[in-house]
Amino acid sequence: MAGRRPLGARALSLLRWLGMLLLPLPPLLQAGQGCPGHCYCFATPELDQCSYVRLQEPPRDLPRGVRNLTVAGGNLTVLRRAAFAGNGSRPLGDLSRLLLPRDNIQAIEDRAFQGLPGLAALDLSHNPLRALAGGAFRGCPRLRTLKLNQALLLLGEEPLAGALRNLSLRRLELAGNGLRALPGAALPEGLEELDLRNNSLQGLSPEELARLDSAPLGRLQLYLGSNPLRCDCALRPLLGWMRNASWRVADARSLRCAAPRELSGSPVLRLRLEQLGCGAGREPRSEEAGEQKELETASYVFFGIVLALIGVIFLMVLYLNRRGIKRWLNNLREACRDQMEGYHYRYEQDTDPRRASASPSGL
């Protein structure tokens, strides 16, 4: 029994091990003490993330050190001025990521996010937006990512374009909004990624593609998956655009035809031109006819310019060689005169009556 440790010594050793395991907890608890009520905090020695659920109004008692804030499943309805910063009296300079999905937000007023100077990512997805003020995002100079997935079904393009006009976004998500055309007016300059998945796009027109190729949007990359693309002749501009610059559509390889029935499910990038119904016997659409007419006009203009240049060059050559040409014309005139005098002399000899009467006697 001498080799066994006493019971008291073993208990003391066990308490020491428990103390070592619990040693890292106090900093987390101290950081967690800064979390307001009804908030689930994932804390480090400096508070990192707070998550709220089922709130009726934006939280006002946030600690200043929070970097990520999530408010989900609430009933916020209206976001008023400085909704998350106590009317601007306590700006949250460290907050960079704000997630507000499924909060029944229907209206966002001017400067709703004032007091968040470091906000870089904002998620307003799955909210039934009905009103969006033109200055809703003022006071957020660093905002680069905005998610509005399934949030614009009740909102027109004009309010969205007004709210995004002065932003420097890099990524904009508009998935699931039933869009039938590219929201060209709502695209801020310098945008690099645009998510248009799960909308109602059947294709993109030549005008929309030209808008995407313009200088402000020359680096834009699209996501077009889960759209009901109609694979007929109207899809030819988009198909050619994707093949010429495959990087412009990030999910181009996954795109499938939704119509017509015989091409349903076919990969878009593998389509041949004859499958689109653009044969020689088919009359072109108005857009194609306009393009063909413009091409013919440009060809005539170019041909006219070439002829004009040739005429100018010919006149310059004549002007530079005017003396030689003048001598050549004088020589030609003298030669013609000598030739005509020779013909005239022989004609006079042949018509002389004396010469004609002497000819028979000579024979």
Side-chain angles (χ1 to χ4, degrees), residues 241-263:
W241 188 75
M242 289 193 298
R243 286 175 174 172
N244 291 334
S246 57
W247 64 271
R248 299 299 300 270
V249 181
D251 53 355
R253 295 184 180 275
S254 65
L255 298 182
R256 298 290 185 271
C257 298
R261 182 179 301 177
E262 58 271 16
L263 293 177

Side-chain angles (χ1 to χ4, degrees), residues 233 236 273-284 288:
C233 198
R236 186 172 65 174
L273 188 61
E274 54 269 22
Q275 290 180 283
L276 299 179
C278 296
R282 183 182 180 275
E283 294 185 0
E288 299 171 5

